[in-house]
Amino acid sequence: MRRTVFLATGSLVCVLGVSAQQHSIDTQKSTLTIHVGKTGIFSGLGHEHVVSAPIHSGMADTSSHPAVEIHVDARALRVIDKDDSEKDRAEVQQTMLGREVLESGGHQDIVFKSTGAEPAGERRWTLRGNLTLRGQTRPVEVQVTLKDGRYTGEAIVKQTDFGIKPPGKAGIRAKDEVRIEFDVRLLS
């Protein structure tokens, strides 16, 4: 009987220890920022675009097998270009959320779910995972650094990998590769 109680207690401690490693992402203090460059013969006349992408929800496992899952609502993305007029920002916003790029009406969920992690130095990791964007899922690699309780880093993705033709006008268009920066904080 004592052995059974001991084993049950030990199992409970192990389960509680594992679940203590799971943390919700603090969506009020975490950010994603997307940088879209420009290319083309007249690219000097155009603007690079900066997009704010609020994190809708997410979880992170900080145990010896780190893992993360992040959800973003595509309809909540906002163009925050400082050099553009309000009219130009609105036009870029409409294009980004529309059929030509994200199709946010039909594909509102953007999800990153890690599938593996390996150390890349002290308090640094390379996360591999799957990014679902515009209804298509592709593998991506994310560099992560932990400093002062914040997980920061970036990933580079190609729009064409997700069925998006980079939008543009004659002689200037968005670059295929976009840089996604993140600053993620966890709830205790």
Side-chain angles (χ1 to χ4, degrees):
M1 176 72 171
R2 278 189 193 153
R3 184 171 186 216
T4 304
V5 170
F6 177 76
L7 289 174
T9 303
S11 297
L12 181 59
V13 168
C14 288
V15 168
L16 290 175
V18 170
S19 66
Q21 304 292 331
Q22 294 266 336
H23 303 276
S24 292
I25 290 176
D26 186 340
T27 59
Q28 300 301 309
K29 294 181 180 174
S30 299
T31 60
L32 289 175
T33 305
I34 303 162
H35 299 271
V36 183
K38 57 189 175 166
T39 190
I41 194 163
F42 298 120
S43 63
L45 302 174
H47 299 287
E48 294 190 357
H49 300 296
V50 179
V51 177
S52 173
I55 297 173
H56 177 68
S57 64
M59 295 290 295
D61 184 336
T62 58
S63 70
S64 59
H65 302 301
V68 67
E69 184 170 329
I70 294 176
H71 296 259
V72 172
D73 183 341
R75 299 167 300 177
L77 273 67
R78 293 294 172 256
V79 175
I80 57 172
D81 298 349
K82 293 181 177 146
D83 295 335
D84 281 349
S85 68
E86 185 64 36
K87 178 182 178 245
D88 289 345
R89 273 194 305 274
E91 183 181 314
V92 172
Q93 176 82 23
Q94 183 176 6
T95 300
M96 175 185 69
L97 296 180
R99 294 184 62 181
E100 191 175 342
V101 181
L102 293 177
E103 292 188 68
S104 64
H107 301 288
Q108 57 206 30
D109 294 324
I110 300 172
V111 179
F112 173 77
K113 185 172 184 176
S114 66
T115 57
E118 59 188 55
E122 187 175 335
R123 297 179 160 245
R124 299 180 69 210
W125 301 267
T126 299
L127 287 181
R128 288 172 309 287
N130 292 313
L131 177 64
T132 301
L133 175 66
R134 200 177 187 233
Q136 298 185 32
T137 302
R138 300 289 182 266
V140 297
E141 196 169 272
V142 181
Q143 303 304 314
V144 181
T145 301
L146 173 61
K147 183 177 180 184
D148 300 327
R150 297 166 46 199
Y151 293 87
T152 60
E154 66 179 43
I156 304 292
V157 299
K158 287 186 174 184
Q159 296 183 70
T160 51
D161 288 347
F162 297 92
I164 300 168
K165 179 181 177 188
K169 298 177 182 177
I172 183 168
R173 69 176 38 264
K175 282 187 175 179
D176 189 16
E177 288 187 340
V178 298
R179 181 169 43 99
I180 303 169
E181 294 177 344
F182 57 89
D183 183 341
V184 173
R185 297 179 191 210
L186 305 179
L187 295 171
S188 301

